[in-house]
Amino acid sequence: MSRASSPGPKGVWSLAMHGGAGADPSIDYSKAEAHMKDLLARGAALLGEGASAVDVVAAMVRELEDCGLHVAGRGAHPDQDGRYLLDAAIMDGETRAAGAVCALEGVRNPIDAAMRVMTETKHVLLAGEGAAAFARAQGLALIEDPSRHYTPAPAVLERLGEPTHGTVGAVALDIDGSLAAATSTGGLLNKTPGRIGDTPIIGAGTWADERVAVSCTGIGEYFMRCATAADVSARIRYGRQGLDQASARAIDDVGFLGGEGGLIAIDVLGRVAVKYNSQGMKRAYATSLGESVVETFAARGQARS
Ligand code: ASP
């Protein structure tokens, strides 16, 4: 499919990102919010200059991985065996090309590995040793000493006894009308060795097609059981629901099963939806209409508002 055939309006762009739905009101997220504000401005500038949605979401997630302020990339926490096994996925709505990695060890930016799976292989998901060998063969930056590289946030370490989690993600619409989504995570804290969540599962934690791009965060098992990210698109496509309703109902479905978390979504008209049923969700979004929002707890983000 050529970019010229994209159904979206030309010249309109939107960008949204999240830093996980495990936010706790007793914790100060001002540093993470300040970082997101800066990142949002840079991403908005890129989209305004004509960068593709898929390149921008990858760039945003790479920076969110590197900042160490979320449970992804540098901020990840080890599993019960003390190993850092990370998951990531990216999807280009223009072509529905997708790439993902899971249980990836020793690679600085899991999102780069996911991008290479999408662009350099015929596969969608590579796991464990095979994913790491592929990333090495691609010449991606590696981690020599995990104990020096990873810097789990103090706010996270304070909550190790709880089912804390965190993820980063970005969705975008570019000025050519193409959508893309990317998500990266360290998964649930103290996770069972071998446990994989929704993030790298295309359709569960990450999805982009010609009508919507979605990135999820929360207790991944529920998002997998609800196929949440693809469910937003299905509700728009078959249910004729608008973006806001489709996103809210998809999170309601997670809640009905007892799950907790949230999502960010952008549709082909550039509308942004932010929905969660957790206490908070670090998020930011900007549009070519001049909207620019960075927040963690405001009530209007609630799924049932
Ligand atoms: N969804 C991620 C997982 O289950 C965790 C998160 O979003 O915080 O691995």
Side-chain angles (χ1 to χ4, degrees):
M1 193 191 305
S2 75
R3 292 208 170 269
S5 67
S6 299
K10 306 293 180 275
V12 171
W13 60 262
S14 294
L15 173 65
M17 64 185 92
H18 69 77
D24 175 343
S26 68
I27 293 172
D28 176 12
Y29 292 103
S30 53
K31 207 170 159 189
E33 289 179 355
H35 178 261
M36 271 195 179
K37 189 174 176 188
D38 174 61
L39 195 53
L40 187 69
R42 285 189 275 149
L46 287 171
L47 285 167
E49 288 162 8
S52 72
V54 73
D55 284 345
V56 171
V57 295
M60 296 297 100
V61 168
R62 190 179 306 120
E63 296 257 1
L64 290 165
E65 288 177 340
D66 281 343
C67 73
L69 297 169
H70 313 282
V71 188
R74 290 195 80 194
H77 192 270
D79 68 13
Q80 289 170 3
D81 284 345
R83 294 172 68 187
Y84 291 86
L85 300 177
L86 278 53
D87 309 329
I90 189 162
M91 189 165 186
D92 183 350
E94 178 73 25
T95 57
R96 295 204 206 177
V101 287
C102 62
L104 178 66
E105 190 171 27
V107 177
R108 176 172 159 166
N109 291 106
I111 196 64
D112 288 345
M115 178 75 124
R116 295 294 180 95
V117 171
M118 179 173 77
T119 60
E120 307 302 322
T121 81
K122 292 179 179 164
H123 310 303
V124 168
L125 176 60
L126 293 182
E129 275 305 315
F134 169 73
R136 287 194 294 274
Q138 288 290 315
L140 298 184
L142 304 178
I143 295 164
E144 300 303 331
D145 181 356
S147 66
R148 291 169 68 98
H149 177 76
Y150 292 103
T151 56
V156 166
L157 295 175
E158 281 169 19
R159 303 175 64 197
L160 282 185
E162 306 168 36
T164 309
H165 55 90
T167 287
V168 302
V171 292
L173 171 74
D174 64 33
I175 62 173
D176 289 321
S178 299
L179 292 152
T183 317
S184 179
T185 192
L188 300 184
L189 266 71
N190 289 325
K191 64 189 177 187
T192 302
R195 181 264 182 192
I196 306 292
D198 60 317
T199 299
I201 307 300
I202 297 298
T206 307
W207 180 262
D209 59 21
E210 61 277 23
R211 56 187 70 82
V212 67
V214 185
S215 174
C216 301
T217 169
I219 307 293
E221 282 71 7
Y222 295 97
F223 287 75
M224 293 157 88
R225 290 164 61 198
C226 294
T228 305
D231 185 40
V232 175
S233 180
R235 287 172 183 275
I236 294 170
R237 184 177 190 179
Y238 304 117
R240 301 278 171 202
Q241 295 178 5
L243 178 73
D244 202 69
Q245 188 187 13
S247 301
R249 295 293 87 80
I251 289 298
D252 281 350
D253 209 22
V254 169
F256 290 145
L257 295 188
E260 170 261 301
L263 63 80
I264 54 172
I266 288 177
D267 72 6
V268 74
L269 295 178
R271 293 177 294 204
V272 179
V274 173
K275 300 294 171 188
Y276 57 90
N277 66 5
S278 48
Q279 286 187 302
M281 179 167 79
K282 291 173 275 179
R283 77 271 187 183
Y285 64 87
T287 71
S288 52
L289 294 177
E291 293 173 287
S292 181
V293 173
V294 181
E295 57 195 5
T296 302
F297 293 110
R300 68 193 157 104
Q302 296 287 349
R304 292 185 184 82
S305 65

